[in-house]
Amino acid sequence: MGRARKVAMTGGVALSISGLRVDVGTFALRDVSLDVPPGVCTVLMGPTGSGKSLLIESICGLRTPQAGSVYVAGRDVTRLDPAKRCMGYVPQDYALLPFKTVRENLEFALAARRIPRSQWPALADDMLSLLRIEHIADRYPARLSGGERQRVALGRALLIRPDVLLLDEPLCALDETTADEVMEELLRIRRRFDVTTLHICHSMDEALRMGDRLAIMRLGRIVQTGTPQEIFQRPNSLFVARLLRLPTLTVGQIREDGSGRRRFYIGATAVADTSLPPGNAQAVIAPEHMAVSAEQPLSGDGIAVFSARILPDPTALFRPQLRLEGELNLAVPGLYVGRQWRPGTEVFVSFPRAAVHVIADEPFIDGQL
Amino acid sequence: MTRNPRALPDERSVPSQPSPLLPGTPQRGPSRGRSDLTFLEMGAVTTLFAYTGFLLILLGANAAYLDPANFIEIFRSEDILFALRLSLTTATIASLLSLAVAIPVAYALSRARVPWRPLLDALVDVPIVLPPLVMGVSLLVFFQTPLGRAIEATGARFVYTAAGIVLAQFLVVSPYAVRTVKASLDAIDPRIENVARTLGCSPFQVFWRVTLPMIRSGIVAGAVITWSQAMGLYGPMMVFAGTTRRRTEVLATSVYLELSIGRIQMALAISLLMVMVALIALAVFKRWAGPGRWL
């Protein structure tokens, strides 16, 4: 405890996974390597069944890896008993003890860590007030709302002063308003404890608000890691672009001319050079470089211009974007339908060719994006 | 907790107390009036009353047929009182024993990596499938084998003893304990046990502090069903333990013996005694071991 507390107060510890292989029946984590620097929150995203929860369980020591290693604060914990690691594990449905009250659930963590009973009331009180759940201290989990259960599970994990906090879809069972509150709460707690965090989520909103870094998983592998900005601008596969539901993802072809120069075409217009092989391909256009205008803009050398028509989009009420149809079929985020741009209006879209990131095509596999 | 002012009030965080703003509101809670009973509920409730009514009529008919003198007689009969004590003692020991075995067996079937699990799972149920009488015969045969004789040679006597009663009861009723305990074990979210491990509990501590409290209702149900079954068992005892008065005669055997010599009224009196004892014992036990406040 002493060591953990000191570390938690001095900026967290790093989590480092390399070459991890975990077989579970027909599924396996394969060659998973991931570094989470001290105090950083890495958000793990991927479709259902990509192995995110399994990875977290393996980090906790609940699964035995067949190969690879897990280091926490420079210490090899690959073969260490889960009870001897110091992992703050918050599983998907919070897994509170139904036969204990909120306070007893918190004290359970202290008992498990063999903290003297005389210290329990003070430590539990501190955590209850930190999470602002003093008023439910004597309730049983069956009588709590989703957000309250989430806080209790978080408090229980934090009470052991974890080296790493592992959150398995902490907001998935909450309605959006509660999820918003809990997200704020999580950010506040993370600033307070400065704890290294691995956070699984499905929602883009959550990933961008919570994550300092993103790691994308697919079929038991990590396929891309980076800052959210890096991954949003340069997804390394169509899978990642689809998973992130990038609005500017657009279809095209790569063609090679007589001189061997390969270019990505949208319709008849070449928009970018590429080294990918000729054939169908897709591209992501950096939305911040896209311009929409009613007048045809000058198409300079480095600028591509397309005409399109604005489509009606009911979701634009809360997520501003222009859905377009025509030479270009995509959505331009950040623009309000209706104020300046009415559905049906013919517009021109222009963007510098440098803003185009070409991605190789891949077959659409149902369920795995 | 930072409450978003626009957030809808959380229903579950509102204490379920009568609203001070609405004096005189009937405190019905969420339940609907009687007129709102659906056809499904009406059908179910009708069946419930028909079923329990039939049982009550059955007991009432027995009681009416009974000569009160017989009922007084059984309380004067040292033989019957001995059988009552023996029944209570053996059924309680057999029930406890079956739970002591059922908990690890159910745990192994539910959690451990066991080879041939489906086969072992089916084997556990064999005593349920076999007629209890056959279990008695099997026990008798077993104690004629070299192994059985070796066990009796150590001084642990089972054939025609009270220990034999317990053994027979234990064998017949333990599958019920395994089933109820395993059903509650299977219902536990493994994540609850996993989290306890990450918090610092050893596997044994997880079992003791998490698993056992969570299967409490299964254990209670197992205790009730095994005890009741053991109380009513007479087939295997007659074969294996005999029916010696003041030695191996239990109440269920007494009923059978009285019937076999045509003293139906006496048999009914003893049956009624069994019903009363069982009802009182189960009521007390359920009250003492009933569900915790958290359920």
Side-chain angles (χ1 to χ4, degrees):
Chain A
M1 158 106 184
R3 185 192 67 90
R5 176 184 285 252
K6 209 163 81 191
V7 171
M9 292 304 171
T10 53
V13 299
L15 170 70
S16 173
I17 302 161
S18 65
L20 200 68
R21 181 187 175 93
V22 182
D23 289 313
V24 180
T26 54
F27 184 78
L29 290 181
R30 279 169 282 191
D31 196 25
V32 171
S33 299
L34 180 69
D35 281 308
V36 186
V40 163
C41 177
T42 292
V43 165
L44 207 53
M45 292 188 82
T48 310
S50 56
K52 308 181 298 288
S53 295
L54 181 58
L55 176 57
I56 277 195
E57 287 170 10
S58 305
I59 296 169
C60 288
L62 299 167
R63 306 277 185 173
T64 316
Q66 274 69 43
S69 61
V70 180
Y71 279 79
V72 174
R75 180 172 68 132
D76 185 355
V77 299
T78 318
R79 305 277 156 201
L80 204 62
D81 187 271
K84 301 213 169 72
R85 306 183 185 198
C86 199
M87 296 293 171
Y89 174 41
V90 180
Q92 214 169 70
D93 42 16
Y94 317 137
L96 299 175
L97 297 173
F99 54 92
K100 287 183 183 288
T101 62
V102 167
R103 177 183 289 279
E104 288 163 353
N105 263 283
L106 295 180
E107 288 175 348
F108 181 81
L110 300 170
R113 286 279 139 180
R114 289 176 192 78
I115 289 166
R117 192 179 281 265
S118 58
Q119 297 180 27
W120 291 3
L123 288 169
D125 280 337
D126 281 355
M127 191 52 73
L128 286 167
S129 76
L130 180 70
L131 293 166
R132 300 170 190 154
I133 50 174
E134 300 100 321
H135 58 294
I136 55 165
D138 296 320
R139 280 198 217 161
Y140 287 92
R143 295 241 163 266
L144 302 181
S145 71
E148 289 164 344
R149 283 178 211 191
Q150 214 284 332
R151 285 178 173 82
V152 180
L154 183 66
R156 183 176 61 178
L158 288 170
L159 269 175
I160 68 169
R161 302 276 166 176
D163 287 342
V164 181
L165 192 58
L166 301 162
L167 308 172
D168 193 347
E169 295 199 36
L171 310 179
C172 74
L174 308 179
D175 62 76
E176 286 189 30
T177 317
T178 314
D180 270 350
E181 289 174 22
V182 174
M183 255 190 274
E184 288 304 318
E185 197 75 18
L186 275 172
L187 285 170
R188 192 170 65 85
I189 297 292
R190 264 184 40 216
R191 275 196 296 274
R192 164 84 180 255
F193 285 84
D194 201 12
V195 60
T196 310
T197 308
L198 197 57
H199 179 133
I200 295 181
C201 77
H202 268 136
S203 123
M204 206 59 49
D205 188 39
E206 190 181 333
L208 293 177
R209 277 169 74 177
M210 307 304 296
D212 303 314
R213 294 180 65 79
L214 289 185
I216 312 288
M217 285 193 81
R218 179 189 199 182
L219 297 171
R221 296 172 191 277
I222 289 183
V223 291
Q224 188 170 11
T225 56
T227 63
Q229 199 175 9
E230 282 164 8
I231 296 184
F232 271 73
Q233 285 181 350
R234 309 193 76 78
N236 67 3
S237 65
L238 191 54
F239 166 82
V240 174
R242 280 182 182 146
L243 180 77
L244 302 178
R245 295 191 296 162
L246 296 179
T248 62
L249 185 65
T250 183
V251 184
Q253 283 90 37
I254 296 171
R255 295 179 205 144
E256 196 173 273
D257 62 17
S259 62
R261 184 184 183 193
R262 289 176 189 171
R263 284 188 294 179
F264 179 77
Y265 285 78
I266 298 173
T269 314
V271 294
D273 285 308
T274 177
S275 56
L276 292 170
N280 289 338
Q282 307 214 19
V284 174
I285 303 158
E288 64 270 31
H289 295 302
M290 299 178 86
V292 178
S293 56
E295 311 285 316
Q296 180 157 18
L298 297 171
S299 54
D301 191 29
I303 305 285
V305 179
F306 294 88
S307 71
R309 195 175 59 256
I310 296 171
L311 286 175
D313 179 10
T315 68
L317 274 175
F318 80 99
R319 186 178 52 203
Q321 62 172 16
L322 285 190
R323 276 180 57 216
L324 301 175
E325 175 190 74
E327 290 180 356
L328 209 55
N329 295 292
L330 46 68
V332 183
L335 295 173
Y336 278 101
V337 182
R339 184 174 294 172
Q340 182 184 1
W341 308 110
R342 304 201 175 278
T345 313
E346 296 287 338
V347 293
F348 295 94
V349 182
S350 60
F351 49 85
R353 293 173 200 275
V356 178
H357 173 65
V358 184
I359 314 166
D361 206 11
E362 57 182 276
F364 185 89
I365 304 168
D366 193 33
Q368 280 299 328
L369 296 162
Chain B
M1 150 162 96
T2 46
R3 280 258 167 226
N4 184 335
R6 285 174 301 168
L8 294 169
D10 187 344
E11 285 174 29
R12 271 179 287 193
S13 67
V14 176
S16 57
Q17 276 161 7
S19 165
L21 299 175
L22 299 168
T25 317
Q27 299 307 324
R28 268 277 177 74
S31 71
R32 289 153 296 162
R34 186 164 289 180
S35 59
D36 290 343
L37 276 180
T38 62
F39 278 116
L40 181 73
E41 280 174 302
M42 268 158 48
V45 170
T46 309
T47 315
L48 170 69
F49 279 121
Y51 175 69
T52 48
F54 180 65
L55 292 181
L56 279 177
I57 290 169
L58 210 64
L59 287 176
N62 286 0
Y65 192 74
L66 191 72
D67 184 349
N70 287 125
F71 205 68
I72 295 163
E73 189 190 330
I74 59 174
F75 281 106
R76 292 221 179 107
S77 157
E78 272 302 316
D79 294 342
I80 300 294
L81 290 181
F82 180 88
L84 172 63
R85 281 196 298 274
L86 188 61
S87 273
L88 289 173
T89 321
T90 52
T92 306
I93 296 173
S95 174
L96 291 175
L97 268 182
S98 66
L99 283 171
V101 171
I103 293 171
V105 167
Y107 191 84
L109 286 176
S110 174
R111 300 295 155 83
R113 286 190 192 175
V114 196
W116 310 303
R117 186 202 303 258
L119 183 72
L120 291 168
D121 198 278
L123 259 175
V124 166
D125 288 336
V126 163
I128 296 184
V129 184
L130 282 180
L133 189 64
V134 177
M135 289 304 291
V137 177
S138 312
L139 276 171
L140 207 56
V141 171
F142 168 75
F143 280 101
Q144 296 309 311
T145 61
L147 177 61
R149 285 183 189 184
I151 291 172
E152 292 242 300
T154 63
R157 317 279 305 172
F158 288 96
V159 186
Y160 301 122
T161 65
I165 298 176
V166 173
L167 180 60
Q169 289 174 332
F170 162 77
L171 276 179
V172 174
V173 304
S174 44
Y176 297 101
V178 175
R179 286 295 144 225
T180 51
V181 172
K182 182 166 183 288
S184 352
L185 271 173
D186 289 342
I188 297 180
D189 179 356
R191 292 197 192 102
I192 296 184
E193 293 167 320
N194 282 344
V195 168
R197 290 282 284 134
T198 65
L199 290 173
C201 292
S202 68
F204 180 77
Q205 286 171 327
V206 171
F207 177 77
W208 190 250
R209 293 181 186 172
V210 178
T211 315
L212 217 47
M214 289 193 70
I215 59 171
R216 173 178 154 148
S217 62
I219 294 175
V220 170
V224 168
I225 197 164
T226 53
W227 189 82
S228 322
Q229 288 270 322
M231 278 292 282
L233 212 57
Y234 68 92
M237 270 88 92
M238 301 223 314
V239 181
F240 181 58
T243 54
T244 320
R245 291 238 129 146
R246 301 205 193 186
R247 257 195 76 196
T248 58
E249 184 185 349
V250 289
L251 276 188
T253 331
S254 312
V255 175
Y256 180 81
L257 291 178
E258 296 290 349
L259 269 180
S260 66
I261 55 169
R263 300 213 303 172
I264 295 178
Q265 292 212 329
M266 198 60 190
L268 284 178
I270 302 172
S271 312
L272 222 54
L273 173 69
M274 284 177 72
V275 170
M276 283 159 50
V277 168
L279 281 181
I280 293 168
L282 293 182
V284 168
F285 178 69
K286 280 184 181 169
R287 178 146 186 88
W288 170 72
R293 282 184 301 148
W294 54 278
L295 273 177

